[in-house]
Amino acid sequence: MIAIAVHGGAGRWDEAERDAAVAGVRGAAAAGWQVLETGGTSLDAVTAAVMVLEDDPLFNAGTGSVLNAEGDAELDAGIMAGDVLTAGGVACIRRVRNPVLVARRVMEATDCVLLAGAEAERFARDQGFADHDPVTERRRARWRAARARQAGERLVPGTVGAVALDRGGRLAAATSTGGRELKRPGRIGDSPVPGAGNYATAQAAVSATGWGEFMLRMATAKAIATRIESGEPPASAAASVLAEMARSFGAPIGVICLDARGAVGIVHGTEGMPHAWRTGDDDDFNARFAA
Amino acid sequence: MIAIAVHGGAGRWDEAERDAAVAGVRGAAAAGWQVLETGGTSLDAVTAAVMVLEDDPLFNAGTGSVLNAEGDAELDAGIMAGDVLTAGGVACIRRVRNPVLVARRVMEATDCVLLAGAEAERFARDQGFADHDPVTERRRARWRAARARQAGERLVPGTVGAVALDRGGRLAAATSTGGRELKRPGRIGDSPVPGAGNYATAQAAVSATGWGEFMLRMATAKAIATRIESGEPPASAAASVLAEMARSFGAPIGVICLDARGAVGIVHGTEGMPHAWRTGDDDDFNARFAA
């Protein structure tokens, strides 16, 4: 059994952008699926899927990320291989094209799990990642308008994530984001942190999206993985933790998750979340905005 | 019932420093105990206990932290209030006296949970924290010697942490560290990350010490808290997760934890860990190096 699921971020998507967002996650799932179908690893599949969305300026990750309080894009990304429990993450990195690739290099080429800020960018350059400005004119214009009306920090949808199961039975997860618009510089969200917005074990893979601080406080992805490991179906595990977070914080989130048999769990609040998935049981991709 | 437990870091302590380390954690526990005994909150108690050890240059936290690959001290600290699941952390902050106080300001004065690097330091200054050089001559000399023999990254004991239960039944946890000697600049360890090296809920408080990357990959503190929440005694919960980490990573760690009835769990590998604790059932402090 092989399986992949991809999300493009929970929250208030503009009506006009929903179809494009669903097409985007479908394309990302197809990129990951191709890796799996040709015998590649789940780690390569989630990397491929997330790269597609980081490169798509519609999403709030990589190119097209939102800008912080000072008008800079600060990007967070995390990746994890479930079979060996290895993880890598970069936080507040500014000028790279694909943060998920840098996170993967942290995982594969260092003794670290998490690298932050200017030093993370220095690491990326040492590893050969070219200088890249992720800021788009559209995000710049929106930021200017938000500043002009003295808007506060704002959750902009478009965090991206992927979970996959490969033929070897290995699970992996990856998540990437620009975080919140007008966020405080130096703020780290849940996406790069194993157990918060991203997690994978031998039996579960999870990628979450929403107000990152709530995920950090709940250790949301770990909580969902623990439930899946104890035998709860992924959809039920995700729904249970989503309900717990709604009780604790009143916070809607979105989650995609997988177990080692390829069962898919996709849950989100009422505002929707573009998502796509496919397993060995499906003839084609499933792709939609709301459940 | 009130209770406090404090640790001073698992690992290879020099024989000659063990008595002083035990005296140090005893003094820190006493500082926290005084807060609890006079009706203060567990949050104030863990803050007071960790500040004592950050100010003691024997420990690898605050003043006396080890130096990274470039000869700088980069400090990590986290704090969490279990009753309301609020958390704050600072990572890679360089020139402050008490990182745990900055972490607490992140928790209480911002919408963030985690702040890193130069921006975290800027936040600290804005909040009135004075410039303070945490580097001691002893650490500088050891760093020079390690560089001279081209030593690799090294786990130096002395991470500090505290967990407490107050009269109102509220649990809290705090953890602070300089991380590993010769670590990569920008590296974030487990201490500031909720669920990795530090965690508190309505029913459990946990502070862990050891190779931080393993704690990040396992989400160790969350795993222990989840077991305590399901009714497992703290000592057993910590021992179970310690065994799981030994199996997965071959990595010894140290943990202190509490449940909401004041039951204390303290476990560590064979190398020892200075620790002290006291509960409402005790006439005096318990303080020792090994179990």
Side-chain angles (χ1 to χ4, degrees):
Chain A
M1 172 66 90
I2 58 174
I4 189 158
V6 172
H7 73 79
R12 285 190 200 159
W13 280 86
D14 290 346
E15 286 269 353
E17 291 178 341
R18 292 181 184 179
D19 287 350
V22 172
V25 292
R26 191 187 195 285
W33 181 259
Q34 197 185 345
V35 172
L36 298 171
E37 215 179 15
T38 54
T41 66
S42 53
L43 200 59
D44 284 339
V46 296
T47 304
V50 166
M51 283 177 68
V52 166
L53 299 175
E54 285 179 339
D55 288 342
D56 184 336
L58 182 64
F59 295 90
N60 176 17
T63 302
S65 288
V66 300
L67 310 188
N68 71 13
E70 295 175 354
D72 297 310
E74 288 194 323
L75 317 177
D76 290 351
I79 190 165
M80 189 156 184
D83 57 326
V84 284
L85 283 178
T86 51
V90 286
C92 309
I93 192 167
R94 293 189 175 202
R95 292 184 63 98
V96 295
R97 178 172 160 187
N98 293 109
V100 72
L101 289 181
V102 187
R104 188 160 168 181
R105 290 307 294 159
V106 170
M107 179 173 103
E108 294 177 337
T110 80
D111 288 331
C112 304
V113 166
L114 269 177
L115 272 186
E119 288 79 7
E121 197 162 309
R122 182 147 55 103
F123 166 77
R125 296 287 173 267
D126 289 346
Q127 292 284 322
F129 290 92
D131 181 55
H132 172 84
D133 183 0
V135 180
T136 59
E137 195 38 56
R138 167 172 165 266
R139 294 294 190 195
R140 177 77 66 200
R142 289 187 184 198
W143 179 85
R144 271 194 220 103
R147 288 273 289 197
R149 63 175 190 274
Q150 298 188 295
E153 214 174 332
R154 193 169 70 98
L155 188 65
V156 174
T159 292
V160 307
V163 291
L165 171 68
D166 64 30
R167 281 200 192 132
R170 291 176 294 259
L171 288 157
T175 306
S176 183
T177 190
R180 292 199 297 266
E181 193 177 54
L182 293 165
K183 67 184 178 182
R184 184 184 288 273
R187 174 259 185 187
I188 301 176
D190 59 304
S191 303
V193 176
N198 195 71
Y199 205 61
T201 70
Q203 288 155 39
V206 183
S207 172
T209 156
W211 196 270
E213 277 65 19
F214 297 131
M215 249 89 82
L216 283 164
R217 290 161 61 187
M218 183 65 79
T220 302
K222 173 73 173 182
I224 295 168
T226 299
R227 282 176 173 272
I228 294 173
E229 287 174 342
S230 72
E232 201 170 333
S236 161
S240 298
V241 173
L242 188 115
E244 196 180 338
M245 293 195 60
R247 274 195 308 275
S248 294
F249 309 122
I253 61 167
V255 173
I256 55 172
C257 51
L258 275 181
D259 70 14
R261 287 173 300 195
V264 180
I266 295 172
V267 301
H268 56 78
T270 52
E271 293 178 336
M273 172 180 78
H275 58 275
W277 78 98
R278 183 171 182 176
T279 79
D281 293 335
D282 302 316
D283 292 330
D284 198 357
F285 295 94
N286 308 281
R288 54 195 68 163
F289 181 73
Chain B
M1 172 66 89
I2 58 174
I4 189 157
V6 173
H7 73 79
R12 287 191 198 157
W13 281 87
D14 291 346
E15 286 269 353
E17 290 178 342
R18 293 182 184 179
D19 287 350
V22 172
V25 291
R26 192 186 195 286
W33 182 259
Q34 197 185 345
V35 172
L36 298 171
E37 215 180 14
T38 54
T41 65
S42 54
L43 200 61
D44 284 340
V46 296
T47 303
V50 166
M51 282 177 69
V52 166
L53 299 176
E54 285 179 338
D55 287 343
D56 184 337
L58 182 64
F59 295 91
N60 176 18
T63 301
S65 288
V66 300
L67 309 188
N68 71 12
E70 294 173 357
D72 297 309
E74 287 194 324
L75 317 177
D76 289 353
I79 190 164
M80 188 156 185
D83 57 326
V84 283
L85 283 179
T86 51
V90 286
C92 309
I93 191 166
R94 296 192 173 200
R95 291 184 65 98
V96 294
R97 178 171 161 188
N98 293 110
V100 72
L101 290 181
V102 187
R104 189 159 166 182
R105 289 308 294 161
V106 170
M107 178 173 103
E108 294 178 338
T110 80
D111 288 332
C112 305
V113 166
L114 269 178
L115 272 186
E119 287 80 7
E121 197 162 308
R122 182 147 54 103
F123 166 76
R125 296 286 174 268
D126 290 346
Q127 292 284 322
F129 290 92
D131 181 54
H132 172 84
D133 183 0
V135 179
T136 59
E137 195 37 58
R138 168 172 163 264
R139 293 294 190 197
R140 177 77 66 198
R142 289 188 185 197
W143 180 83
R144 273 195 218 101
R147 288 273 289 197
R149 62 174 191 275
Q150 300 190 296
E153 215 174 333
R154 193 168 72 96
L155 189 64
V156 174
T159 292
V160 307
V163 291
L165 172 68
D166 63 31
R167 282 202 192 130
R170 292 177 293 260
L171 288 158
T175 307
S176 182
T177 190
R180 292 198 297 265
E181 193 175 56
L182 294 165
K183 68 184 178 182
R184 184 185 287 274
R187 173 258 186 188
I188 300 176
D190 59 306
S191 302
V193 175
N198 195 71
Y199 205 60
T201 71
Q203 288 155 40
V206 183
S207 172
T209 156
W211 197 269
E213 276 65 18
F214 297 131
M215 249 89 81
L216 283 164
R217 289 159 62 187
M218 182 65 79
T220 301
K222 173 74 172 182
I224 294 169
T226 299
R227 283 176 172 271
I228 294 172
E229 287 174 341
S230 73
E232 200 170 334
S236 160
S240 298
V241 173
L242 189 114
E244 196 180 337
M245 294 195 59
R247 274 196 307 276
S248 294
F249 308 123
I253 62 166
V255 173
I256 57 172
C257 52
L258 277 180
D259 70 14
R261 287 173 299 195
V264 181
I266 295 173
V267 301
H268 56 78
T270 52
E271 295 180 335
M273 171 181 78
H275 58 276
W277 78 97
R278 183 170 182 177
T279 79
D281 294 334
D282 302 317
D283 293 328
D284 198 357
F285 295 94
N286 307 281
R288 53 195 67 162
F289 182 74

